[in-house]
């Protein structure tokens, strides 16, 4: 693990209310992803050289290092690979990996559901949630 | 070039503090450096190489070299979180074998507990491309490892009770360690009934948070023999090393294995050994699931059979098939700077020298393994494996 030593202490006690969603800090090569998110669309990167999809998106294909990559509209559906719910009451949230039908697995949250009813393998669909002063982010809810 | 026999661990020291209210981080580094030098019977002027990770203050090796007044001809600040000291031993052995230095000092220290820092990932780096695709979703160490545990349960039928046995074993060992933060022997029921932190991991599935640190001194064989001639204890030889990172692979995520599946075989190959030869294992126990993954990935049991391997006291010294973390480990003893790698090496050295607590000392311990997982299992981490031999 890493450490944040000698940083100011966090306030004691559980946070009040729902967790704030930090705005994504956008690098130029992922700007198109967040512009699509503004329109409620989920896109992923595909490599024209090797044909593989990847996520998170980048200019360079991580499978073959080709720069010939393009954006692909994702269906926005997939299945839960794993998840874990942390926190109590309103502050509780569920971190998850969801495997899109296009084949990539992405980190996300499972939302708008009772976490106790979730299961690995269950079908989910994308829903965009506002972040704190930035682009909306893709989360998933039972399909 | 094989590093088998090219270097020896001649000094090891663990800071006794668990909360360093009055000590700076550099002072903690200095304390453990002095302790390891004393343990080795060497002086500061014998040190010609220095290793620390990226969490050391200031410019790391440069800042520390000045603070400690070291005159060096080799430095290395390989950074891979809590596994760094294990890689530092391997890199020190390689540097010694290449003739670049004679005696290497490795230190790790921190005071996150006194500073009040929450157990969390490193402060965001604006240039890190993955963060926009992770931070909005609230990844923390606990829920990242929770996802690994949940997938392991799904794939292999591992149970919370089996994971709990790992904490139970650590607590059996920690009762004999006066410095351990948690010294009560706990039961499986107490672990699974402790509050849920991030499902399926309970509070007692998690390691402690502590200040402190540790240091290791690695030397070339001639120097190790000179030291041994003045001492009555056995020497500790570096016999095998391995390292490997694992990351998200562009979205091809598979949480069923760790990078130890690569670092372990490399270390065993260099050592000319198999897992069955190992008599004691120091395994980075940030969480109970971390230990289970390493047992499988290092080949102590087949993939998916870790739960059966650890249950019914499989890891308890004197009882089980593979004694582990006989100081209480991160789960009960300490986890200095939120980086457990150095303490894993130190307890393995104690075991090989016969200096562990008599209640947990492995009889005739000749071969020990230390493995570190630095980073987070679910997202990205680097594993380091070190096999040591008593000679
Ligand atoms: Zn490609």
């Amino acid at each position: 693990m890493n450490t944040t030593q000698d940083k100011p202490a966090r306030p004691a006690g559980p946070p009040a209310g729902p967790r704030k969603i930090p705005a994504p800090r956008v690098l130029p090569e992922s700007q198109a992803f967040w512009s699509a998110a503004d329109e409620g669309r989920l896109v992923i990167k595909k490599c024209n050289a090797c044909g593989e999809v990847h996520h998170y998106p980048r200019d360079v294909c991580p499978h073959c290092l080709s720069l010939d990559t393009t954006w692909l509209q994702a269906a926005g559906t997939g299945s839960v690979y794993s998840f874990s719910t942390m926190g109590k009451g309103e502050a509780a949230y569920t971190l998850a990996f969801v495997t899109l039908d296009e084949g990539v697995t992405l980190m996300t949250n499972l939302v708008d559901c009772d976490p106790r009813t979730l299961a690995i393998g269950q079908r989910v669909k994308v829903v965009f949630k506002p972040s704190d002063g930035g682009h909306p982010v893709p989360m998933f809810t039972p399909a | 070039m094989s590093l088998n026999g090219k270097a020896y661990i001649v000094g090891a020291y663990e800071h006794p503090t668990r909360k360093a209210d009055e000590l700076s981080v550099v002072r903690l580094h200095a304390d453990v450096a002095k302790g390891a030098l004393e343990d080795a019977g060497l002086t500061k002027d014998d040190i010609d190489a220095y290793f620390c990770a990226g969490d050391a203050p200031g410019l790391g090796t440069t800042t520390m070299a000045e603070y400690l007044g070291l005159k060096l001809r080799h430095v290395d600040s390989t950074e891979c979180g809590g596994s760094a000291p294990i890689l530092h031993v391997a890199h020190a052995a390689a540097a010694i074998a290449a003739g670049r230095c004679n005696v290497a000092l490795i230190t790790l220290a921190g005071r996150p507990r006194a500073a009040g820092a929450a157990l969390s990932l490193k402060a965001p780096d604006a240039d890190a491309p993955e963060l926009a695709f992770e931070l909005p979703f609230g990844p923390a160490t606990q829920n990242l490892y929770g996802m690994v545990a949940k997938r392991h349960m799904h794939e292999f039928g591992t149970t919370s009770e089996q994971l709990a046995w790992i904490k139970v074993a650590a607590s059996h060992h920690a009762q004999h360690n006066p410095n351990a933060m948690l010294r009560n022997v706990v039961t499986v029921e107490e672990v699974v009934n402790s509050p849920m932190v991030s499902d399926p991991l309970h509070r007692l599935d998690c390691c402690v948070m502590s200040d402190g640190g540790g240091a290791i001194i690695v030397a070339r064989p001639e120097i190790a023999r000179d030291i041994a001639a003045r001492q009555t204890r056995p020497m500790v030889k570096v016999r095998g090393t391995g390292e490997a990172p694992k990351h998200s692979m562009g979205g091809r995520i598979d949480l069923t294995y760790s990078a130890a599946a690569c670092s372990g075989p490399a270390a065993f190959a260099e050592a000319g050994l198999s897992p069955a030869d190992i008599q004691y294992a120091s395994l980075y126990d940030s969480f109970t699931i971390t230990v289970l993954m390493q047992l499988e990935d290092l080949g102590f049991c087949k993939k998916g059979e870790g739960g059966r391997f650890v249950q019914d006291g499989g890891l308890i010294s004197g009882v089980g098939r593979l004694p582990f973390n006989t100081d209480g480990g991160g789960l009960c003893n300490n986890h200095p700077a939120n980086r457990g790698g150095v303490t894993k090496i130190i307890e393995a050295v104690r075991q090989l020298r016969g200096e562990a607590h008599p209640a947990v000392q492995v009889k005739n311990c000749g071969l020990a393994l230390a493995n570190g997982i630095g980073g987070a299992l679910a997202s990205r981490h680097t594993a380091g494996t070190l096999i040591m031999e008593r000679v």
Side-chain angles (χ1 to χ4, degrees), chain A residues 82-96:
Chain A
S82 196
F83 63 99
S84 181
T85 304
M86 192 164 85
K88 295 249 186 311
E90 273 199 302
Y93 67 101
T94 301
L95 184 71

Side-chain angles (χ1 to χ4, degrees), chain A residues 47 49-52 61 63-66:
Chain A
C47 173
C50 74
E52 297 285 344
C61 170
H63 303 300
C64 75
L65 288 187
S66 170

Side-chain angles (χ1 to χ4, degrees), chain A residues 119-138:
Chain A
I120 286 176
Q122 127 172 47
R123 296 289 297 165
V124 289
K125 63 184 180 199
V126 72
V127 50
F128 284 86
K129 296 289 182 184
S131 68
D132 188 17
H135 297 280
V137 297

Side-chain angles (χ1 to χ4, degrees), chain B residues 331-346:
Chain B
L331 287 169
C332 294
N333 176 18
N334 63 341
H335 188 210
N338 296 337
R339 293 170 170 236
V342 81
T343 57
K344 297 293 149 297
I345 304 167
I346 293 167

Side-chain angles (χ1 to χ4, degrees), chain B residues 8-309:
Chain B
Y8 287 70
I9 294 176
V10 298
Y13 180 77
E14 176 190 307
H15 206 294
T17 193
R18 302 293 181 259
K19 195 157 190 292
D21 284 324
E22 304 297 328
L23 299 175
S24 65
V25 174
V26 281
R27 167 65 193 278
L28 289 168
H29 278 276
D31 283 355
V32 294
K34 282 165 69 74
L37 279 170
E38 190 174 322
D39 179 61
L42 295 174
T43 71
K44 175 171 83 73
D45 295 335
D46 295 312
I47 301 294
D48 60 355
Y50 176 68
F51 295 66
C52 65
D55 65 328
L59 270 178
T61 51
T62 308
T63 293
M64 290 309 306
E66 172 167 7
Y67 185 81
L68 296 170
L70 300 175
K71 288 169 72 175
L72 304 171
R73 57 191 184 109
H74 188 83
V75 292
D76 181 331
S77 33
T78 297
E79 169 63 307
C80 47
S83 58
I86 292 175
L87 273 70
H88 291 165
V89 170
H91 296 183
I96 288 167
R100 302 187 67 87
C101 58
N102 291 314
V103 181
L105 169 68
I106 298 159
T107 65
L108 174 146
R111 52 193 297 284
R113 192 164 167 234
L119 190 65
S120 64
L121 298 178
K122 210 169 185 172
D125 168 357
D127 289 327
E130 68 272 21
L131 292 185
F133 298 92
E134 295 184 359
L135 288 189
F137 309 111
T141 313
Q142 298 92 325
N143 54 17
L144 289 169
Y145 284 74
M147 288 199 294
V148 175
K150 182 158 293 193
R151 188 71 201 185
H152 203 280
M153 290 175 169
H154 174 79
E155 297 244 3
F156 307 114
T158 307
T159 66
S160 288
E161 285 75 14
Q162 288 173 329
L163 288 180
W165 270 108
I166 296 167
K167 181 74 157 201
V168 170
S171 76
H172 270 268
H173 300 150
Q175 67 178 313
H176 305 294
N177 182 352
N179 290 328
M181 286 177 70
L182 306 177
R183 294 190 67 193
N184 288 338
V185 175
V186 298
T187 64
V188 168
E189 290 68 32
E190 285 172 309
V191 178
V192 300
N193 291 328
S194 65
M196 193 67 86
V197 169
S198 195
D199 78 307
L201 298 177
H202 305 83
R203 180 176 293 164
L204 294 186
D205 285 300
C206 308
C207 64
V208 299
M209 181 176 180
S210 78
D211 301 340
I216 303 290
I217 296 176
V218 184
R220 70 169 57 255
E222 309 87 277
I223 295 170
R225 280 191 283 273
D226 283 350
I227 294 169
R230 304 195 294 267
Q231 295 170 331
T232 54
R233 68 189 187 207
M235 300 200 294
V236 175
K237 181 169 90 172
V238 174
R239 177 140 177 185
T241 64
E243 62 194 61
K246 181 180 180 232
H247 48 75
S248 297
M249 295 172 287
R252 290 174 177 174
I253 287 167
D254 180 348
L255 297 186
T256 60
Y257 71 98
S258 74
C262 296
S263 68
F268 280 114
E270 188 170 68
L273 295 169
S274 74
D277 297 315
I278 299 299
Q279 295 161 280
Y280 166 80
S282 276
L283 303 175
Y284 196 165
D285 51 350
S286 48
F287 296 89
T288 52
I289 183 63
T290 323
V291 174
L292 198 79
M293 296 286 283
Q294 290 168 92
L295 287 168
E296 295 175 351
D297 294 335
L298 293 166
F300 290 111
C301 61
K302 287 199 182 113
K303 179 51 70 179
E305 293 184 0
R308 284 184 287 282
F309 190 88

